[in-house]
mmCIF file of all heavy atoms in Angstrom:
data_model
loop_
_atom_site.group_PDB
_atom_site.id
_atom_site.type_symbol
_atom_site.label_atom_id
_atom_site.label_comp_id
_atom_site.label_asym_id
_atom_site.label_seq_id
_atom_site.Cartn_x
_atom_site.Cartn_y
_atom_site.Cartn_z
ATOM 1 N N GLY A 318 126.484 122.967 89.948
ATOM 2 C CA GLY A 318 127.663 122.199 90.144
ATOM 3 C C GLY A 318 128.877 123.003 90.032
ATOM 4 O O GLY A 318 128.967 124.180 89.733
ATOM 5 N N GLU A 319 130.035 122.277 90.518
ATOM 6 C CA GLU A 319 131.370 122.922 90.361
ATOM 7 C C GLU A 319 132.026 122.604 89.153
ATOM 8 O O GLU A 319 131.756 121.481 88.626
ATOM 9 C CB GLU A 319 132.223 122.387 91.530
ATOM 10 C CG GLU A 319 132.438 123.438 92.663
ATOM 11 C CD GLU A 319 133.373 122.844 93.747
ATOM 12 O OE1 GLU A 319 134.454 122.326 93.422
ATOM 13 O OE2 GLU A 319 132.900 122.946 94.894
ATOM 14 N N GLY A 320 132.852 123.441 88.538
ATOM 15 C CA GLY A 320 133.611 123.091 87.366
ATOM 16 C C GLY A 320 134.087 124.367 86.651
ATOM 17 O O GLY A 320 134.095 125.445 87.302
ATOM 18 N N VAL A 321 134.661 124.248 85.449
ATOM 19 C CA VAL A 321 135.100 125.346 84.800
ATOM 20 C C VAL A 321 133.936 126.170 84.260
ATOM 21 O O VAL A 321 133.065 125.604 83.656
ATOM 22 C CB VAL A 321 136.030 124.992 83.617
ATOM 23 C CG1 VAL A 321 136.535 126.149 82.879
ATOM 24 C CG2 VAL A 321 137.241 124.108 84.079
ATOM 25 N N LEU A 322 133.904 127.464 84.571
ATOM 26 C CA LEU A 322 132.810 128.313 84.159
ATOM 27 C C LEU A 322 133.081 128.975 82.853
ATOM 28 O O LEU A 322 134.234 129.004 82.452
ATOM 29 C CB LEU A 322 132.464 129.315 85.313
ATOM 30 C CG LEU A 322 132.225 128.601 86.636
ATOM 31 C CD1 LEU A 322 132.188 129.589 87.827
ATOM 32 C CD2 LEU A 322 130.970 127.845 86.679
ATOM 33 N N ALA A 323 132.006 129.643 82.338
ATOM 34 C CA ALA A 323 132.228 130.359 80.980
ATOM 35 C C ALA A 323 133.387 131.417 81.134
ATOM 36 O O ALA A 323 134.066 131.726 80.082
ATOM 37 C CB ALA A 323 130.932 131.051 80.622
ATOM 38 N N SER A 324 133.545 131.963 82.266
ATOM 39 C CA SER A 324 134.619 132.936 82.495
ATOM 40 C C SER A 324 135.990 132.378 82.436
ATOM 41 O O SER A 324 136.992 133.076 82.436
ATOM 42 C CB SER A 324 134.471 133.630 83.833
ATOM 43 O OG SER A 324 134.550 132.597 84.908
ATOM 44 N N GLY A 325 136.091 131.005 82.513
ATOM 45 C CA GLY A 325 137.415 130.428 82.542
ATOM 46 C C GLY A 325 137.854 130.092 83.914
ATOM 47 O O GLY A 325 138.723 129.308 84.226
ATOM 48 N N LEU A 326 137.110 130.660 84.947
ATOM 49 C CA LEU A 326 137.425 130.380 86.373
ATOM 50 C C LEU A 326 136.823 129.091 86.789
ATOM 51 O O LEU A 326 135.893 128.577 86.140
ATOM 52 C CB LEU A 326 136.907 131.489 87.245
ATOM 53 C CG LEU A 326 137.410 132.852 86.992
ATOM 54 C CD1 LEU A 326 136.604 133.979 87.748
ATOM 55 C CD2 LEU A 326 138.930 132.922 87.397
ATOM 56 N N TYR A 327 137.353 128.519 87.788
ATOM 57 C CA TYR A 327 136.878 127.195 88.263
ATOM 58 C C TYR A 327 136.075 127.471 89.620
ATOM 59 O O TYR A 327 136.494 128.228 90.502
ATOM 60 C CB TYR A 327 138.044 126.258 88.614
ATOM 61 C CG TYR A 327 137.579 124.910 88.996
ATOM 62 C CD1 TYR A 327 137.402 123.859 88.066
ATOM 63 C CD2 TYR A 327 137.277 124.606 90.351
ATOM 64 C CE1 TYR A 327 137.019 122.597 88.440
ATOM 65 C CE2 TYR A 327 136.860 123.320 90.736
ATOM 66 C CZ TYR A 327 136.763 122.310 89.760
ATOM 67 O OH TYR A 327 136.242 121.114 90.175
ATOM 68 N N GLY A 328 134.855 126.926 89.738
ATOM 69 C CA GLY A 328 134.109 127.123 90.995
ATOM 70 C C GLY A 328 132.794 126.621 90.827
ATOM 71 O O GLY A 328 132.352 125.974 89.844
ATOM 72 N N LYS A 329 131.879 127.036 91.773
ATOM 73 C CA LYS A 329 130.489 126.716 91.857
ATOM 74 C C LYS A 329 129.625 127.647 91.072
ATOM 75 O O LYS A 329 129.807 128.905 91.300
ATOM 76 C CB LYS A 329 130.000 126.607 93.274
ATOM 77 C CG LYS A 329 128.737 125.783 93.418
ATOM 78 C CD LYS A 329 128.506 125.482 94.932
ATOM 79 C CE LYS A 329 127.161 124.785 95.068
ATOM 80 N NZ LYS A 329 126.814 124.491 96.445
ATOM 81 N N GLY A 330 128.786 127.215 90.175
ATOM 82 C CA GLY A 330 127.989 128.175 89.435
ATOM 83 C C GLY A 330 127.444 127.539 88.046
ATOM 84 O O GLY A 330 126.653 128.160 87.396
ATOM 85 N N ARG A 331 127.991 126.288 87.780
ATOM 86 C CA ARG A 331 127.473 125.654 86.599
ATOM 87 C C ARG A 331 126.057 125.155 86.778
ATOM 88 O O ARG A 331 125.707 124.500 87.744
ATOM 89 C CB ARG A 331 128.300 124.410 86.203
ATOM 90 C CG ARG A 331 129.676 124.682 85.737
ATOM 91 C CD ARG A 331 130.509 123.448 85.870
ATOM 92 N NE ARG A 331 129.928 122.323 85.027
ATOM 93 C CZ ARG A 331 130.582 121.799 83.950
ATOM 94 N NH1 ARG A 331 131.724 122.305 83.578
ATOM 95 N NH2 ARG A 331 130.001 120.869 83.239
ATOM 96 N N MET A 332 125.208 125.481 85.733
ATOM 97 C CA MET A 332 123.841 124.987 85.849
ATOM 98 C C MET A 332 123.790 123.498 86.065
ATOM 99 O O MET A 332 124.570 122.804 85.363
ATOM 100 C CB MET A 332 123.077 125.393 84.565
ATOM 101 C CG MET A 332 121.559 125.116 84.622
ATOM 102 S SD MET A 332 120.819 125.496 83.037
ATOM 103 C CE MET A 332 120.156 123.869 82.630
ATOM 104 N N GLU A 333 122.895 123.017 86.844
ATOM 105 C CA GLU A 333 122.691 121.575 87.031
ATOM 106 C C GLU A 333 122.505 120.908 85.627
ATOM 107 O O GLU A 333 121.877 121.540 84.747
ATOM 108 C CB GLU A 333 121.487 121.368 87.889
ATOM 109 C CG GLU A 333 121.090 119.879 88.131
ATOM 110 C CD GLU A 333 122.247 119.078 88.844
ATOM 111 O OE1 GLU A 333 123.279 118.817 88.225
ATOM 112 O OE2 GLU A 333 121.956 118.761 89.989
ATOM 113 N N GLU A 334 123.037 119.731 85.423
ATOM 114 C CA GLU A 334 122.989 119.020 84.184
ATOM 115 C C GLU A 334 121.510 118.677 83.805
ATOM 116 O O GLU A 334 120.760 118.286 84.686
ATOM 117 C CB GLU A 334 123.851 117.741 84.163
ATOM 118 C CG GLU A 334 125.336 117.945 84.223
ATOM 119 C CD GLU A 334 125.845 118.967 83.231
ATOM 120 O OE1 GLU A 334 125.401 119.038 82.088
ATOM 121 O OE2 GLU A 334 126.695 119.826 83.725
ATOM 122 N N PRO A 335 121.138 118.869 82.546
ATOM 123 C CA PRO A 335 119.742 118.605 82.141
ATOM 124 C C PRO A 335 119.212 117.225 82.526
ATOM 125 O O PRO A 335 118.101 117.054 82.945
ATOM 126 C CB PRO A 335 119.803 118.732 80.582
ATOM 127 C CG PRO A 335 120.906 119.716 80.344
ATOM 128 C CD PRO A 335 121.915 119.415 81.412
ATOM 129 N N GLU A 336 120.144 116.281 82.345
ATOM 130 C CA GLU A 336 119.716 114.799 82.703
ATOM 131 C C GLU A 336 119.300 114.727 84.228
ATOM 132 O O GLU A 336 118.331 114.074 84.587
ATOM 133 C CB GLU A 336 120.837 113.828 82.426
ATOM 134 C CG GLU A 336 121.238 113.654 81.033
ATOM 135 C CD GLU A 336 122.072 114.716 80.424
ATOM 136 O OE1 GLU A 336 122.492 115.672 81.138
ATOM 137 O OE2 GLU A 336 122.334 114.629 79.214
ATOM 138 N N LYS A 337 120.100 115.501 85.082
ATOM 139 C CA LYS A 337 119.726 115.445 86.505
ATOM 140 C C LYS A 337 118.485 116.162 86.814
ATOM 141 O O LYS A 337 117.735 115.793 87.667
ATOM 142 C CB LYS A 337 120.949 116.019 87.269
ATOM 143 C CG LYS A 337 122.117 115.122 87.336
ATOM 144 C CD LYS A 337 122.964 115.345 88.561
ATOM 145 C CE LYS A 337 124.115 114.420 88.666
ATOM 146 N NZ LYS A 337 125.281 115.043 89.181
ATOM 147 N N ILE A 338 118.248 117.268 86.045
ATOM 148 C CA ILE A 338 117.006 118.053 86.297
ATOM 149 C C ILE A 338 115.741 117.124 85.920
ATOM 150 O O ILE A 338 114.852 117.083 86.646
ATOM 151 C CB ILE A 338 116.965 119.350 85.423
ATOM 152 C CG1 ILE A 338 118.142 120.228 85.926
ATOM 153 C CG2 ILE A 338 115.660 120.075 85.588
ATOM 154 C CD1 ILE A 338 118.307 121.523 85.216
ATOM 155 N N VAL A 339 115.929 116.382 84.833
ATOM 156 C CA VAL A 339 114.795 115.539 84.421
ATOM 157 C C VAL A 339 114.544 114.401 85.493
ATOM 158 O O VAL A 339 113.408 114.160 85.875
ATOM 159 C CB VAL A 339 115.094 114.885 83.083
ATOM 160 C CG1 VAL A 339 114.088 113.831 82.709
ATOM 161 C CG2 VAL A 339 115.180 115.915 81.945
ATOM 162 N N GLU A 340 115.721 113.824 85.981
ATOM 163 C CA GLU A 340 115.589 112.885 87.094
ATOM 164 C C GLU A 340 114.816 113.429 88.310
ATOM 165 O O GLU A 340 114.007 112.799 88.918
ATOM 166 C CB GLU A 340 116.936 112.225 87.423
ATOM 167 C CG GLU A 340 117.485 111.295 86.392
ATOM 168 C CD GLU A 340 116.531 110.294 85.827
ATOM 169 O OE1 GLU A 340 115.885 109.572 86.676
ATOM 170 O OE2 GLU A 340 116.485 110.172 84.599
ATOM 171 N N THR A 341 115.278 114.620 88.639
ATOM 172 C CA THR A 341 114.675 115.247 89.816
ATOM 173 C C THR A 341 113.081 115.448 89.645
ATOM 174 O O THR A 341 112.320 115.086 90.520
ATOM 175 C CB THR A 341 115.253 116.649 90.040
ATOM 176 O OG1 THR A 341 116.633 116.510 90.253
ATOM 177 C CG2 THR A 341 114.654 117.296 91.364
ATOM 178 N N LEU A 342 112.686 115.877 88.434
ATOM 179 C CA LEU A 342 111.296 116.056 88.092
ATOM 180 C C LEU A 342 110.478 114.704 88.218
ATOM 181 O O LEU A 342 109.455 114.611 88.714
ATOM 182 C CB LEU A 342 111.120 116.623 86.673
ATOM 183 C CG LEU A 342 111.391 118.132 86.593
ATOM 184 C CD1 LEU A 342 111.376 118.598 85.190
ATOM 185 C CD2 LEU A 342 110.342 118.988 87.422
ATOM 186 N N VAL A 343 111.100 113.669 87.589
ATOM 187 C CA VAL A 343 110.549 112.341 87.518
ATOM 188 C C VAL A 343 110.288 111.871 88.930
ATOM 189 O O VAL A 343 109.253 111.348 89.265
ATOM 190 C CB VAL A 343 111.459 111.354 86.647
ATOM 191 C CG1 VAL A 343 110.928 109.897 86.922
ATOM 192 C CG2 VAL A 343 111.393 111.695 85.276
ATOM 193 N N HIS A 344 111.300 111.962 89.727
ATOM 194 C CA HIS A 344 111.309 111.519 91.119
ATOM 195 C C HIS A 344 110.255 112.291 91.844
ATOM 196 O O HIS A 344 109.390 111.739 92.631
ATOM 197 C CB HIS A 344 112.602 111.736 91.724
ATOM 198 C CG HIS A 344 112.761 111.159 93.158
ATOM 199 N ND1 HIS A 344 112.792 109.858 93.335
ATOM 200 C CD2 HIS A 344 112.664 111.781 94.376
ATOM 201 C CE1 HIS A 344 112.850 109.654 94.658
ATOM 202 N NE2 HIS A 344 112.704 110.820 95.348
ATOM 203 N N PHE A 345 110.135 113.604 91.605
ATOM 204 C CA PHE A 345 109.132 114.461 92.287
ATOM 205 C C PHE A 345 107.831 113.995 92.042
ATOM 206 O O PHE A 345 106.917 113.799 92.917
ATOM 207 C CB PHE A 345 109.380 115.946 91.859
ATOM 208 C CG PHE A 345 108.305 116.846 92.363
ATOM 209 C CD1 PHE A 345 108.405 117.311 93.647
ATOM 210 C CD2 PHE A 345 107.189 117.174 91.604
ATOM 211 C CE1 PHE A 345 107.360 118.097 94.241
ATOM 212 C CE2 PHE A 345 106.209 117.979 92.126
ATOM 213 C CZ PHE A 345 106.247 118.465 93.444
ATOM 214 N N PHE A 346 107.475 113.781 90.689
ATOM 215 C CA PHE A 346 106.117 113.382 90.282
ATOM 216 C C PHE A 346 105.766 111.953 90.834
ATOM 217 O O PHE A 346 104.691 111.650 91.230
ATOM 218 C CB PHE A 346 105.876 113.439 88.805
ATOM 219 C CG PHE A 346 105.709 114.869 88.293
ATOM 220 C CD1 PHE A 346 106.613 115.429 87.384
ATOM 221 C CD2 PHE A 346 104.697 115.642 88.807
ATOM 222 C CE1 PHE A 346 106.422 116.705 86.958
ATOM 223 C CE2 PHE A 346 104.470 116.960 88.373
ATOM 224 C CZ PHE A 346 105.401 117.497 87.424
ATOM 225 N N GLU A 347 106.818 111.084 90.862
ATOM 226 C CA GLU A 347 106.645 109.731 91.344
ATOM 227 C C GLU A 347 106.212 109.786 92.815
ATOM 228 O O GLU A 347 105.290 109.122 93.210
ATOM 229 C CB GLU A 347 107.986 108.953 91.269
ATOM 230 C CG GLU A 347 108.140 108.271 89.953
ATOM 231 C CD GLU A 347 107.210 107.204 89.544
ATOM 232 O OE1 GLU A 347 106.714 106.493 90.434
ATOM 233 O OE2 GLU A 347 106.693 107.337 88.331
ATOM 234 N N SER A 348 106.919 110.631 93.550
ATOM 235 C CA SER A 348 106.643 110.609 95.009
ATOM 236 C C SER A 348 105.264 111.230 95.311
ATOM 237 O O SER A 348 104.780 111.036 96.428
ATOM 238 C CB SER A 348 107.720 111.394 95.728
ATOM 239 O OG SER A 348 107.644 112.808 95.361
#
Side-chain angles (χ1 to χ4, degrees):
E319 253 181 52
V321 179
L322 304 169
S324 59
L326 297 172
Y327 184 92
K329 198 168 176 183
R331 283 163 67 110
M332 186 185 118
E333 178 62 292
E334 294 309 322
E336 291 78 4
K337 287 210 178 138
I338 297 179
V339 172
E340 287 313 310
T341 304
L342 284 170
V343 168
H344 186 75
F345 174 80
F346 284 120
E347 274 300 313
S348 69

